[in-house]
Amino acid sequence: QVQLVESGGGLVQAGGSLRLSCTASRTTRGIDNMGWYRQAPGKQRELVTTISRLRSTNYADSVKGRFTISRDSAKNAVYLQMTSLKPEDTAVYYCYADNYWGNYWGQGTQVTVSS
């Protein structure tokens, strides 16, 4: 089963930047899509962005133009560069991956944006 470990969260002021990283292990069966979701207090988990094996990307409207997803297949890693952060970006960010056999989630990393 694929295991995902995130890093890079933290506290940042509004307008600042953060870079999240996620590395996958136990990937002998391969990975198709990778991405990031987030969950703010009292809200449902929502899609932030995804990237396919062929590097096709998808972004939530709320982050378009501010966040950039990238992927390094050789390292089984996915990254999220976040710029122009807003207080409403505050959430726990979860790394996501899938393949034919299932969907996989990381443990989450907290991102807090102060105003």
Side-chain angles (χ1 to χ4, degrees), residues 15-44:
S17 299
L18 277 176
R19 185 175 188 251
L20 304 183
S21 300
C22 173
T23 301
S25 60
R26 300 187 179 183
T27 59
T28 54
R29 289 179 167 177
I31 295 175
D32 294 329
N33 303 297
M34 300 188 80
W36 296 91
Y37 284 69
R38 67 186 181 187
Q39 187 166 18
K43 295 187 177 181
Q44 290 187 333

Side-chain angles (χ1 to χ4, degrees), residues 54-69:
L54 297 179
R55 304 298 191 271
S56 176
T57 59
N58 177 46
Y59 292 93
D61 288 343
S62 59
V63 306
K64 283 181 181 177
R66 301 188 298 122
F67 290 12
T68 303
I69 190 170

Side-chain angles (χ1 to χ4, degrees), residues 10 19 45 47-48 66 77 102-103 108 113-114:
R19 185 175 188 251
R45 190 174 298 189
L47 169 73
V48 177
R66 301 188 298 122
N103 302 330
V113 184
S114 64

Side-chain angles (χ1 to χ4, degrees), residues 8 11 16 25 27-28 41 50 67 85 88 105:
L11 174 64
S25 60
T27 59
T28 54
T50 60
F67 290 12
L85 282 161
E88 50 263 44
W105 297 92

